[in-house]
Amino acid sequence: QVQLVESGGGLVQPGGSLRLSCAASGTISSILGMGWYRQGSGKQRELVAHIGSGGSTNYAGSVKGRFTISRDNANNTVNLQMNTLKPEDTAVYYCNAFIRLLGTGSLNQYWGQGTQVTVSS
């Protein structure tokens, strides 16, 4: 019914930048909060950044000032601009969204498939 498709991961040197994008498609009535999570090897999944439907944002302390989350409501997309990347940012990054479905009106949480970000020289 609903898919979240991520793009933009890859390998980058320390200090470099990457931009992640996530597009939601399907039987969507509205999208509430959207966010990015990450999971490093052997670690728990953690929130990186979140943006509400009205544009309010919050960030993990470790990325504040380096990452910027934004959304395009007309195209059901959320982006994560990552600057000054560090080796400890290496992880699989997952898109997340709370979406209300057309027809049923049910509110469900959805996850993307994940995209690998590797920061290494």
Side-chain angles (χ1 to χ4, degrees):
Q1 288 177 317
V2 171
Q3 276 191 316
L4 299 182
V5 178
E6 299 132 340
S7 60
L11 172 65
V12 64
Q13 292 187 340
S17 298
L18 280 176
R19 182 178 177 85
L20 305 182
S21 294
C22 172
S25 62
T27 55
I28 297 171
S29 173
S30 61
I31 302 178
L32 281 68
M34 304 184 81
W36 289 92
Y37 288 71
R38 67 186 181 187
Q39 187 166 17
S41 179
K43 299 181 180 180
Q44 288 191 331
R45 190 173 297 190
E46 63 174 357
L47 174 67
V48 176
H50 177 271
I51 184 166
S53 57
S56 60
T57 59
N58 63 75
Y59 297 90
S62 59
V63 308
K64 199 172 292 186
R66 299 187 297 123
F67 291 11
T68 302
I69 190 170
S70 61
R71 64 188 285 173
D72 179 348
N73 292 329
N75 292 302
N76 292 336
T77 59
V78 61
N79 304 300
L80 185 69
Q81 177 66 42
M82 305 185 293
N83 298 328
T84 320
L85 282 159
K86 304 176 180 180
E88 51 264 42
D89 295 317
T90 295
V92 179
Y93 283 70
Y94 296 91
C95 175
N96 171 270
F98 284 85
I99 297 175
R100 191 172 301 281
L101 301 182
L102 285 169
T104 65
S106 63
L107 181 63
N108 302 308
Q109 182 177 204
Y110 294 91
W111 292 91
Q113 79 283 0
T115 185
Q116 177 70 46
V117 171
T118 303
V119 185
S120 175
S121 54

